[in-house]
DNA sequence: GTCTATATCGTGATAGAC
DNA sequence: GTCTATCACGATATAGAC
């Protein structure tokens, strides 16, 4: 995995509450509830009490693990980005022509959006908050990291796009960045409208991801 | 304009502050400032004082025209949707094959996003707030209207998509709704990343709109 | 590690002068 | 029609018991 090093370093470091590289269960529970709340009600629309209530606890529990509401939001965002990065880098590293890689990457992106709607909806929300509520200098650092990773994420697609143009599997375009932003927009938008159905099978999800990716890739080949 | 009647009725009715079908200047000023604030800081992140400060006034002025912060947000949203609807219906009513109409509609959509970033970023934000902060019954009515209009907007594209499939200018797809959501997502996403440059000419904007639309339409033809 | 207070403050909304 | 108070309330964050 060529790009693992790029993002692994910034994952999982909430006040040191981790063991063997994984977040402890208590933290995951909190993040899950927070993701749902933020997704349904927005950052500022969610109170810590809301998250606590959903957790079946009180704020004491949350403030034991997270310094502030902003830190909590950032951590959910970070986790969402990590899952996207993992999925897309894996798809990217499996070889093939530029076009084949691109198709797989977009599929992976779409599938991850569907399988982690709550987290990814927070990531999409986070795009809005440019520097909002980054009060402490420490938070600014984290915010900058998150923005960097989003940029790196986009660059993965740009890079493979160019590979594809080099090997002739992807069409020449007026503006590569614009083309990539279009593709990523189409997929990111899924966080807005996609909600899993009760009876939805993994096969159906996969089929949707392939369909969405196919339409986008067709546009650039 | 076949669809004018669909949305004209819900435009411009802020406490009756309108003359000859247009909003009075005072209201437009407030909406402009509010749009900028909401775009930069989000709905809950924006205080009425923020809007007032930007306006060079105090809240008294705002509360004279709008009952509540929520009403203000809704009105910005409504204005943004109106501009989108106007542009897209005009593009749609100019005739041609399904594919040609679709291309023009997406171009118009994209161009409107660029020319009204603040308003349209609020529209995009508004998609998140499903029923958030719709406290009074009157607000619920307005929110429902806004959601209806968003749905109608999407249906315009679905409809022309089918026209195109009927006349053979648009490819058959597994799921029309999915294909349209992809296109709209790609264009809506512009509200996130696009910010006009100081020296950007209308021609450059138009060229970008055509490029974005072209890539999307190529995917479905 | 989780709870129950509680301090503290920002913000939405109103009342009333001008 | 716009301003200057001012109220009322909810939410973040903390302190300290258990």
């Amino acid at each position: 995995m060529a790009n693992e090093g790029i993002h692994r370093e910034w994952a999982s470091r909430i006040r040191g509450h981790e063991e063997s590289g994984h977040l402890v269960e208590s933290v995951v529970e909190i993040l899950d509830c927070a993701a749902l709340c933020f997704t349904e009600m927005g950052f500022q629309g969610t109170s810590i009490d809301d998250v606590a209530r959903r957790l079946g606890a009180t704020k004491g529990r949350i403030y034991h693990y997270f310094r502030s509401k902003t830190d909590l939001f950032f951590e959910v965002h970070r986790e969402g980005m990590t899952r996207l990065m993992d999925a897309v880098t894996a798809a990217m590293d499996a070889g093939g022509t530029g076009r084949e890689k691109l198709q797989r990457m977009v599929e992976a992106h779409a599938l991850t959006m569907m399988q982690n709607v709550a987290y990814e909806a927070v990531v999409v929300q986070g795009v809005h908050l440019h520097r909002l509520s980054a009060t402490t200098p420490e938070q600014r650092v984290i915010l900058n990291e998150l923005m960097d990773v989003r940029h790196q994420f986009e660059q993965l697609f740009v890079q493979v796009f160019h590979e594809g143009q080099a090997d002739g599997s992807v069409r020449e375009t007026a503006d590569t960045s614009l083309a990539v932003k279009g593709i990523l927009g189409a997929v990111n938008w899924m966080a807005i409208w996609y909600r899993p159905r009760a009876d939805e099978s993994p096969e159906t999800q996969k089929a949707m991801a392939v369909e969405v990716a196919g339409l986008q890739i067709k546009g650039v080949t």
Side-chain angles (χ1 to χ4, degrees), chain A residues 40-41 44-45 121 124-125 127-128 130 132 171 173-175 178-179 181-182 185-186 188-189 192-193 208 211-212 215-216 218-221:
Chain A
E40 291 171 9
M41 304 182 289
Q44 319 253 8
V124 167
Q125 259 187 77
V127 180
H128 284 289
H130 277 308
L132 172 72
R171 182 158 57 96
T173 50
D175 182 345
L178 197 62
K181 279 176 181 1
N188 283 332
W189 195 249
I192 305 288
W193 60 264
M208 278 180 63
E211 174 74 7
V212 168
L215 290 167
Q216 291 301 315
K218 181 136 202 323
V220 297
T221 51

PDB file of all heavy atoms in Angstrom, chain A residues 40-41 44-45 121 124-125 127-128 130 132 171 173-175 178-179 181-182 185-186 188-189 192-193 208 211-212 215-216 218-221:
ATOM      1  N   GLU A  40     -27.420  14.050  11.772  1.00  0.00           N
ATOM      2  CA  GLU A  40     -28.848  14.385  11.783  1.00  0.00           C
ATOM      3  C   GLU A  40     -29.117  15.853  12.104  1.00  0.00           C
ATOM      4  O   GLU A  40     -30.076  16.435  11.620  1.00  0.00           O
ATOM      5  CB  GLU A  40     -29.586  13.505  12.789  1.00  0.00           C
ATOM      6  CG  GLU A  40     -29.657  12.038  12.369  1.00  0.00           C
ATOM      7  CD  GLU A  40     -30.195  11.159  13.482  1.00  0.00           C
ATOM      8  OE1 GLU A  40     -30.668  11.694  14.500  1.00  0.00           O
ATOM      9  OE2 GLU A  40     -30.130   9.917  13.335  1.00  0.00           O
ATOM     10  N   MET A  41     -28.246  16.431  12.962  1.00  0.00           N
ATOM     11  CA  MET A  41     -28.574  17.776  13.456  1.00  0.00           C
ATOM     12  C   MET A  41     -27.492  18.813  13.202  1.00  0.00           C
ATOM     13  O   MET A  41     -27.657  19.971  13.588  1.00  0.00           O
ATOM     14  CB  MET A  41     -28.860  17.696  14.949  1.00  0.00           C
ATOM     15  CG  MET A  41     -29.964  16.694  15.287  1.00  0.00           C
ATOM     16  SD  MET A  41     -30.347  16.627  17.054  1.00  0.00           S
ATOM     17  CE  MET A  41     -28.863  15.833  17.691  1.00  0.00           C
ATOM     18  N   GLN A  44     -23.307  22.440  15.173  1.00  0.00           N
ATOM     19  CA  GLN A  44     -23.769  23.373  16.193  1.00  0.00           C
ATOM     20  C   GLN A  44     -25.150  22.985  16.684  1.00  0.00           C
ATOM     21  O   GLN A  44     -25.534  23.350  17.788  1.00  0.00           O
ATOM     22  CB  GLN A  44     -23.782  24.801  15.636  1.00  0.00           C
ATOM     23  CG  GLN A  44     -22.592  25.125  14.785  1.00  0.00           C
ATOM     24  CD  GLN A  44     -21.606  26.067  15.459  1.00  0.00           C
ATOM     25  OE1 GLN A  44     -21.734  26.374  16.633  1.00  0.00           O
ATOM     26  NE2 GLN A  44     -20.615  26.505  14.700  1.00  0.00           N
ATOM     27  N   GLY A  45     -25.879  22.249  15.886  1.00  0.00           N
ATOM     28  CA  GLY A  45     -27.215  21.824  16.280  1.00  0.00           C
ATOM     29  C   GLY A  45     -27.202  20.675  17.275  1.00  0.00           C
ATOM     30  O   GLY A  45     -28.210  20.363  17.894  1.00  0.00           O
ATOM     31  N   ALA A 121     -21.021  11.589   6.271  1.00  0.00           N
ATOM     32  CA  ALA A 121     -21.836  12.810   6.253  1.00  0.00           C
ATOM     33  C   ALA A 121     -21.161  13.879   7.102  1.00  0.00           C
ATOM     34  O   ALA A 121     -21.238  15.075   6.801  1.00  0.00           O
ATOM     35  CB  ALA A 121     -23.247  12.518   6.765  1.00  0.00           C
ATOM     36  N   VAL A 124     -18.402  15.340   5.018  1.00  0.00           N
ATOM     37  CA  VAL A 124     -18.955  16.285   4.051  1.00  0.00           C
ATOM     38  C   VAL A 124     -19.337  17.605   4.735  1.00  0.00           C
ATOM     39  O   VAL A 124     -19.094  18.686   4.217  1.00  0.00           O
ATOM     40  CB  VAL A 124     -20.174  15.668   3.326  1.00  0.00           C
ATOM     41  CG1 VAL A 124     -20.951  16.726   2.569  1.00  0.00           C
ATOM     42  CG2 VAL A 124     -19.699  14.575   2.375  1.00  0.00           C
ATOM     43  N   GLN A 125     -19.937  17.486   5.928  1.00  0.00           N
ATOM     44  CA  GLN A 125     -20.234  18.697   6.708  1.00  0.00           C
ATOM     45  C   GLN A 125     -18.965  19.471   7.018  1.00  0.00           C
ATOM     46  O   GLN A 125     -18.937  20.695   6.963  1.00  0.00           O
ATOM     47  CB  GLN A 125     -20.850  18.313   8.048  1.00  0.00           C
ATOM     48  CG  GLN A 125     -22.334  18.443   8.155  1.00  0.00           C
ATOM     49  CD  GLN A 125     -22.766  18.191   9.590  1.00  0.00           C
ATOM     50  OE1 GLN A 125     -22.627  19.026  10.442  1.00  0.00           O
ATOM     51  NE2 GLN A 125     -23.278  17.000   9.832  1.00  0.00           N
ATOM     52  N   VAL A 127     -16.399  19.878   5.461  1.00  0.00           N
ATOM     53  CA  VAL A 127     -15.876  20.663   4.353  1.00  0.00           C
ATOM     54  C   VAL A 127     -16.341  22.117   4.458  1.00  0.00           C
ATOM     55  O   VAL A 127     -15.630  23.037   4.083  1.00  0.00           O
ATOM     56  CB  VAL A 127     -16.324  20.062   3.007  1.00  0.00           C
ATOM     57  CG1 VAL A 127     -15.784  20.868   1.853  1.00  0.00           C
ATOM     58  CG2 VAL A 127     -15.870  18.623   2.905  1.00  0.00           C
ATOM     59  N   HIS A 128     -17.535  22.297   4.995  1.00  0.00           N
ATOM     60  CA  HIS A 128     -18.060  23.650   5.173  1.00  0.00           C
ATOM     61  C   HIS A 128     -17.220  24.449   6.157  1.00  0.00           C
ATOM     62  O   HIS A 128     -16.801  25.553   5.878  1.00  0.00           O
ATOM     63  CB  HIS A 128     -19.492  23.600   5.714  1.00  0.00           C
ATOM     64  CG  HIS A 128     -20.514  23.239   4.701  1.00  0.00           C
ATOM     65  ND1 HIS A 128     -20.885  24.073   3.690  1.00  0.00           N
ATOM     66  CD2 HIS A 128     -21.234  22.117   4.541  1.00  0.00           C
ATOM     67  CE1 HIS A 128     -21.811  23.487   2.951  1.00  0.00           C
ATOM     68  NE2 HIS A 128     -22.028  22.301   3.439  1.00  0.00           N
ATOM     69  N   HIS A 130     -14.614  25.886   7.354  1.00  0.00           N
ATOM     70  CA  HIS A 130     -13.241  26.127   6.976  1.00  0.00           C
ATOM     71  C   HIS A 130     -12.338  26.355   8.167  1.00  0.00           C
ATOM     72  O   HIS A 130     -11.330  25.736   8.347  1.00  0.00           O
ATOM     73  CB  HIS A 130     -13.152  27.298   5.993  1.00  0.00           C
ATOM     74  CG  HIS A 130     -13.416  26.863   4.599  1.00  0.00           C
ATOM     75  ND1 HIS A 130     -12.755  25.811   4.030  1.00  0.00           N
ATOM     76  CD2 HIS A 130     -14.278  27.296   3.663  1.00  0.00           C
ATOM     77  CE1 HIS A 130     -13.191  25.634   2.799  1.00  0.00           C
ATOM     78  NE2 HIS A 130     -14.136  26.520   2.554  1.00  0.00           N
ATOM     79  N   LEU A 132     -14.094  27.527  11.118  1.00  0.00           N
ATOM     80  CA  LEU A 132     -15.077  27.742  12.178  1.00  0.00           C
ATOM     81  C   LEU A 132     -14.723  26.942  13.423  1.00  0.00           C
ATOM     82  O   LEU A 132     -14.368  25.797  13.343  1.00  0.00           O
ATOM     83  CB  LEU A 132     -16.455  27.295  11.676  1.00  0.00           C
ATOM     84  CG  LEU A 132     -17.559  27.271  12.724  1.00  0.00           C
ATOM     85  CD1 LEU A 132     -17.989  28.665  13.111  1.00  0.00           C
ATOM     86  CD2 LEU A 132     -18.730  26.477  12.217  1.00  0.00           C
ATOM     87  N   ARG A 171      -9.269   9.989 -21.300  1.00  0.00           N
ATOM     88  CA  ARG A 171      -9.289  11.062 -22.282  1.00  0.00           C
ATOM     89  C   ARG A 171      -8.565  12.310 -21.774  1.00  0.00           C
ATOM     90  O   ARG A 171      -8.542  12.590 -20.585  1.00  0.00           O
ATOM     91  CB  ARG A 171     -10.750  11.397 -22.577  1.00  0.00           C
ATOM     92  CG  ARG A 171     -10.991  12.458 -23.600  1.00  0.00           C
ATOM     93  CD  ARG A 171     -12.389  12.311 -24.163  1.00  0.00           C
ATOM     94  NE  ARG A 171     -13.419  12.369 -23.136  1.00  0.00           N
ATOM     95  CZ  ARG A 171     -14.089  13.495 -22.820  1.00  0.00           C
ATOM     96  NH1 ARG A 171     -13.836  14.622 -23.441  1.00  0.00           N
ATOM     97  NH2 ARG A 171     -15.030  13.469 -21.901  1.00  0.00           N
ATOM     98  N   THR A 173      -8.356  16.090 -20.923  1.00  0.00           N
ATOM     99  CA  THR A 173      -9.399  17.037 -20.525  1.00  0.00           C
ATOM    100  C   THR A 173      -8.815  18.439 -20.404  1.00  0.00           C
ATOM    101  O   THR A 173      -7.617  18.609 -20.213  1.00  0.00           O
ATOM    102  CB  THR A 173     -10.006  16.658 -19.163  1.00  0.00           C
ATOM    103  OG1 THR A 173      -8.938  16.452 -18.245  1.00  0.00           O
ATOM    104  CG2 THR A 173     -10.845  15.415 -19.271  1.00  0.00           C
ATOM    105  N   ALA A 174      -9.699  19.418 -20.465  1.00  0.00           N
ATOM    106  CA  ALA A 174      -9.258  20.809 -20.386  1.00  0.00           C
ATOM    107  C   ALA A 174      -8.619  21.097 -19.030  1.00  0.00           C
ATOM    108  O   ALA A 174      -7.630  21.810 -18.924  1.00  0.00           O
ATOM    109  CB  ALA A 174     -10.443  21.749 -20.618  1.00  0.00           C
ATOM    110  N   ASP A 175      -9.182  20.525 -17.998  1.00  0.00           N
ATOM    111  CA  ASP A 175      -8.728  20.817 -16.643  1.00  0.00           C
ATOM    112  C   ASP A 175      -8.921  19.575 -15.774  1.00  0.00           C
ATOM    113  O   ASP A 175     -10.038  19.264 -15.373  1.00  0.00           O
ATOM    114  CB  ASP A 175      -9.530  22.001 -16.092  1.00  0.00           C
ATOM    115  CG  ASP A 175      -9.082  22.411 -14.703  1.00  0.00           C
ATOM    116  OD1 ASP A 175      -8.371  21.632 -14.036  1.00  0.00           O
ATOM    117  OD2 ASP A 175      -9.443  23.520 -14.283  1.00  0.00           O
ATOM    118  N   LEU A 178     -10.673  20.011 -12.414  1.00  0.00           N
ATOM    119  CA  LEU A 178     -12.112  20.212 -12.559  1.00  0.00           C
ATOM    120  C   LEU A 178     -12.829  18.876 -12.772  1.00  0.00           C
ATOM    121  O   LEU A 178     -13.877  18.618 -12.169  1.00  0.00           O
ATOM    122  CB  LEU A 178     -12.376  21.137 -13.749  1.00  0.00           C
ATOM    123  CG  LEU A 178     -13.748  21.783 -13.841  1.00  0.00           C
ATOM    124  CD1 LEU A 178     -13.995  22.686 -12.657  1.00  0.00           C
ATOM    125  CD2 LEU A 178     -13.882  22.560 -15.145  1.00  0.00           C
ATOM    126  N   ALA A 179     -12.244  18.043 -13.598  1.00  0.00           N
ATOM    127  CA  ALA A 179     -12.841  16.739 -13.883  1.00  0.00           C
ATOM    128  C   ALA A 179     -12.905  15.896 -12.608  1.00  0.00           C
ATOM    129  O   ALA A 179     -13.933  15.268 -12.312  1.00  0.00           O
ATOM    130  CB  ALA A 179     -12.035  16.017 -14.958  1.00  0.00           C
ATOM    131  N   LYS A 181     -12.856  16.987  -9.484  1.00  0.00           N
ATOM    132  CA  LYS A 181     -13.807  17.587  -8.544  1.00  0.00           C
ATOM    133  C   LYS A 181     -15.240  17.181  -8.892  1.00  0.00           C
ATOM    134  O   LYS A 181     -16.076  17.007  -8.003  1.00  0.00           O
ATOM    135  CB  LYS A 181     -13.665  19.105  -8.547  1.00  0.00           C
ATOM    136  CG  LYS A 181     -12.506  19.642  -7.699  1.00  0.00           C
ATOM    137  CD  LYS A 181     -12.409  21.143  -7.869  1.00  0.00           C
ATOM    138  CE  LYS A 181     -11.295  21.848  -7.114  1.00  0.00           C
ATOM    139  NZ  LYS A 181     -10.372  21.111  -6.304  1.00  0.00           N
ATOM    140  N   GLY A 182     -15.517  17.064 -10.182  1.00  0.00           N
ATOM    141  CA  GLY A 182     -16.845  16.624 -10.600  1.00  0.00           C
ATOM    142  C   GLY A 182     -17.137  15.214 -10.134  1.00  0.00           C
ATOM    143  O   GLY A 182     -18.183  14.936  -9.553  1.00  0.00           O
ATOM    144  N   GLY A 185     -17.430  15.080  -6.393  1.00  0.00           N
ATOM    145  CA  GLY A 185     -18.684  15.708  -5.985  1.00  0.00           C
ATOM    146  C   GLY A 185     -19.855  14.770  -6.141  1.00  0.00           C
ATOM    147  O   GLY A 185     -20.687  14.643  -5.239  1.00  0.00           O
ATOM    148  N   ALA A 186     -19.918  14.096  -7.274  1.00  0.00           N
ATOM    149  CA  ALA A 186     -21.019  13.164  -7.518  1.00  0.00           C
ATOM    150  C   ALA A 186     -21.068  12.095  -6.433  1.00  0.00           C
ATOM    151  O   ALA A 186     -22.137  11.731  -5.951  1.00  0.00           O
ATOM    152  CB  ALA A 186     -20.867  12.516  -8.889  1.00  0.00           C
ATOM    153  N   ASN A 188     -19.434  12.220  -3.312  1.00  0.00           N
ATOM    154  CA  ASN A 188     -19.619  12.811  -1.981  1.00  0.00           C
ATOM    155  C   ASN A 188     -21.076  13.156  -1.719  1.00  0.00           C
ATOM    156  O   ASN A 188     -21.549  13.083  -0.593  1.00  0.00           O
ATOM    157  CB  ASN A 188     -18.770  14.083  -1.844  1.00  0.00           C
ATOM    158  CG  ASN A 188     -17.309  13.769  -1.624  1.00  0.00           C
ATOM    159  OD1 ASN A 188     -16.945  12.728  -1.083  1.00  0.00           O
ATOM    160  ND2 ASN A 188     -16.449  14.687  -2.059  1.00  0.00           N
ATOM    161  N   TRP A 189     -21.746  13.552  -2.781  1.00  0.00           N
ATOM    162  CA  TRP A 189     -23.149  13.937  -2.654  1.00  0.00           C
ATOM    163  C   TRP A 189     -24.014  12.805  -2.117  1.00  0.00           C
ATOM    164  O   TRP A 189     -25.097  13.023  -1.585  1.00  0.00           O
ATOM    165  CB  TRP A 189     -23.675  14.431  -4.002  1.00  0.00           C
ATOM    166  CG  TRP A 189     -24.966  15.170  -3.919  1.00  0.00           C
ATOM    167  CD1 TRP A 189     -26.180  14.770  -4.382  1.00  0.00           C
ATOM    168  CD2 TRP A 189     -25.177  16.461  -3.321  1.00  0.00           C
ATOM    169  NE1 TRP A 189     -27.132  15.726  -4.120  1.00  0.00           N
ATOM    170  CE2 TRP A 189     -26.535  16.775  -3.468  1.00  0.00           C
ATOM    171  CE3 TRP A 189     -24.333  17.375  -2.686  1.00  0.00           C
ATOM    172  CZ2 TRP A 189     -27.089  17.970  -2.999  1.00  0.00           C
ATOM    173  CZ3 TRP A 189     -24.875  18.556  -2.215  1.00  0.00           C
ATOM    174  CH2 TRP A 189     -26.236  18.840  -2.370  1.00  0.00           C
ATOM    175  N   ILE A 192     -25.496  12.984   1.206  1.00  0.00           N
ATOM    176  CA  ILE A 192     -26.695  13.800   1.385  1.00  0.00           C
ATOM    177  C   ILE A 192     -27.965  12.976   1.203  1.00  0.00           C
ATOM    178  O   ILE A 192     -28.879  13.046   2.009  1.00  0.00           O
ATOM    179  CB  ILE A 192     -26.726  14.971   0.375  1.00  0.00           C
ATOM    180  CG1 ILE A 192     -25.458  15.818   0.469  1.00  0.00           C
ATOM    181  CG2 ILE A 192     -27.984  15.812   0.558  1.00  0.00           C
ATOM    182  CD1 ILE A 192     -25.359  16.663   1.696  1.00  0.00           C
ATOM    183  N   TRP A 193     -27.993  12.211   0.124  1.00  0.00           N
ATOM    184  CA  TRP A 193     -29.264  11.542  -0.183  1.00  0.00           C
ATOM    185  C   TRP A 193     -29.301  10.056   0.170  1.00  0.00           C
ATOM    186  O   TRP A 193     -30.375   9.507   0.422  1.00  0.00           O
ATOM    187  CB  TRP A 193     -29.623  11.710  -1.662  1.00  0.00           C
ATOM    188  CG  TRP A 193     -28.607  11.146  -2.633  1.00  0.00           C
ATOM    189  CD1 TRP A 193     -27.615  11.834  -3.255  1.00  0.00           C
ATOM    190  CD2 TRP A 193     -28.512   9.793  -3.094  1.00  0.00           C
ATOM    191  NE1 TRP A 193     -26.894  10.997  -4.071  1.00  0.00           N
ATOM    192  CE2 TRP A 193     -27.433   9.745  -3.993  1.00  0.00           C
ATOM    193  CE3 TRP A 193     -29.235   8.625  -2.836  1.00  0.00           C
ATOM    194  CZ2 TRP A 193     -27.046   8.545  -4.629  1.00  0.00           C
ATOM    195  CZ3 TRP A 193     -28.855   7.451  -3.465  1.00  0.00           C
ATOM    196  CH2 TRP A 193     -27.766   7.423  -4.357  1.00  0.00           C
ATOM    197  N   MET A 208     -24.835  -0.522  -6.786  1.00  0.00           N
ATOM    198  CA  MET A 208     -25.027   0.922  -6.869  1.00  0.00           C
ATOM    199  C   MET A 208     -23.689   1.629  -7.019  1.00  0.00           C
ATOM    200  O   MET A 208     -23.539   2.563  -7.823  1.00  0.00           O
ATOM    201  CB  MET A 208     -25.729   1.455  -5.612  1.00  0.00           C
ATOM    202  CG  MET A 208     -27.236   1.280  -5.639  1.00  0.00           C
ATOM    203  SD  MET A 208     -28.004   1.936  -4.130  1.00  0.00           S
ATOM    204  CE  MET A 208     -27.573   3.669  -4.281  1.00  0.00           C
ATOM    205  N   GLU A 211     -22.437   1.240 -10.488  1.00  0.00           N
ATOM    206  CA  GLU A 211     -23.221   2.059 -11.413  1.00  0.00           C
ATOM    207  C   GLU A 211     -22.803   3.525 -11.342  1.00  0.00           C
ATOM    208  O   GLU A 211     -22.532   4.167 -12.363  1.00  0.00           O
ATOM    209  CB  GLU A 211     -24.718   1.914 -11.056  1.00  0.00           C
ATOM    210  CG  GLU A 211     -25.660   2.816 -11.825  1.00  0.00           C
ATOM    211  CD  GLU A 211     -25.867   2.373 -13.260  1.00  0.00           C
ATOM    212  OE1 GLU A 211     -25.381   1.283 -13.620  1.00  0.00           O
ATOM    213  OE2 GLU A 211     -26.500   3.126 -14.022  1.00  0.00           O
ATOM    214  N   VAL A 212     -22.736   4.056 -10.117  1.00  0.00           N
ATOM    215  CA  VAL A 212     -22.340   5.449  -9.927  1.00  0.00           C
ATOM    216  C   VAL A 212     -20.950   5.690 -10.520  1.00  0.00           C
ATOM    217  O   VAL A 212     -20.726   6.662 -11.265  1.00  0.00           O
ATOM    218  CB  VAL A 212     -22.334   5.827  -8.428  1.00  0.00           C
ATOM    219  CG1 VAL A 212     -21.660   7.168  -8.200  1.00  0.00           C
ATOM    220  CG2 VAL A 212     -23.749   5.851  -7.883  1.00  0.00           C
ATOM    221  N   LEU A 215     -20.845   5.632 -14.465  1.00  0.00           N
ATOM    222  CA  LEU A 215     -21.334   6.841 -15.125  1.00  0.00           C
ATOM    223  C   LEU A 215     -20.268   7.932 -15.106  1.00  0.00           C
ATOM    224  O   LEU A 215     -20.065   8.652 -16.091  1.00  0.00           O
ATOM    225  CB  LEU A 215     -22.603   7.347 -14.425  1.00  0.00           C
ATOM    226  CG  LEU A 215     -23.852   6.485 -14.603  1.00  0.00           C
ATOM    227  CD1 LEU A 215     -24.943   6.885 -13.629  1.00  0.00           C
ATOM    228  CD2 LEU A 215     -24.348   6.577 -16.045  1.00  0.00           C
ATOM    229  N   GLN A 216     -19.605   8.058 -13.981  1.00  0.00           N
ATOM    230  CA  GLN A 216     -18.587   9.104 -13.870  1.00  0.00           C
ATOM    231  C   GLN A 216     -17.376   8.799 -14.747  1.00  0.00           C
ATOM    232  O   GLN A 216     -16.849   9.680 -15.431  1.00  0.00           O
ATOM    233  CB  GLN A 216     -18.151   9.274 -12.405  1.00  0.00           C
ATOM    234  CG  GLN A 216     -19.228   9.873 -11.517  1.00  0.00           C
ATOM    235  CD  GLN A 216     -19.670  11.246 -12.012  1.00  0.00           C
ATOM    236  OE1 GLN A 216     -18.858  12.075 -12.364  1.00  0.00           O
ATOM    237  NE2 GLN A 216     -20.975  11.470 -12.061  1.00  0.00           N
ATOM    238  N   LYS A 218     -17.243   6.942 -17.365  1.00  0.00           N
ATOM    239  CA  LYS A 218     -17.603   7.052 -18.778  1.00  0.00           C
ATOM    240  C   LYS A 218     -17.431   8.492 -19.266  1.00  0.00           C
ATOM    241  O   LYS A 218     -17.060   8.728 -20.415  1.00  0.00           O
ATOM    242  CB  LYS A 218     -19.056   6.618 -18.983  1.00  0.00           C
ATOM    243  CG  LYS A 218     -19.509   6.690 -20.431  1.00  0.00           C
ATOM    244  CD  LYS A 218     -20.278   5.472 -20.813  1.00  0.00           C
ATOM    245  CE  LYS A 218     -20.270   5.287 -22.330  1.00  0.00           C
ATOM    246  NZ  LYS A 218     -20.344   6.546 -23.100  1.00  0.00           N
ATOM    247  N   GLY A 219     -17.684   9.438 -18.394  1.00  0.00           N
ATOM    248  CA  GLY A 219     -17.578  10.840 -18.783  1.00  0.00           C
ATOM    249  C   GLY A 219     -16.164  11.265 -19.140  1.00  0.00           C
ATOM    250  O   GLY A 219     -15.986  12.251 -19.854  1.00  0.00           O
ATOM    251  N   VAL A 220     -15.185  10.551 -18.646  1.00  0.00           N
ATOM    252  CA  VAL A 220     -13.805  10.994 -18.872  1.00  0.00           C
ATOM    253  C   VAL A 220     -13.004  10.024 -19.719  1.00  0.00           C
ATOM    254  O   VAL A 220     -11.775  10.101 -19.774  1.00  0.00           O
ATOM    255  CB  VAL A 220     -13.071  11.226 -17.538  1.00  0.00           C
ATOM    256  CG1 VAL A 220     -13.742  12.346 -16.762  1.00  0.00           C
ATOM    257  CG2 VAL A 220     -13.009   9.956 -16.711  1.00  0.00           C
ATOM    258  N   THR A 221     -13.689   9.069 -20.352  1.00  0.00           N
ATOM    259  CA  THR A 221     -12.934   8.109 -21.173  1.00  0.00           C
ATOM    260  C   THR A 221     -13.486   8.031 -22.583  1.00  0.00           C
ATOM    261  O   THR A 221     -14.441   8.714 -22.918  1.00  0.00           O
ATOM    262  CB  THR A 221     -12.965   6.711 -20.534  1.00  0.00           C
ATOM    263  OG1 THR A 221     -14.304   6.357 -20.237  1.00  0.00           O
ATOM    264  CG2 THR A 221     -12.134   6.712 -19.260  1.00  0.00           C
TER     265      THR A 221
END
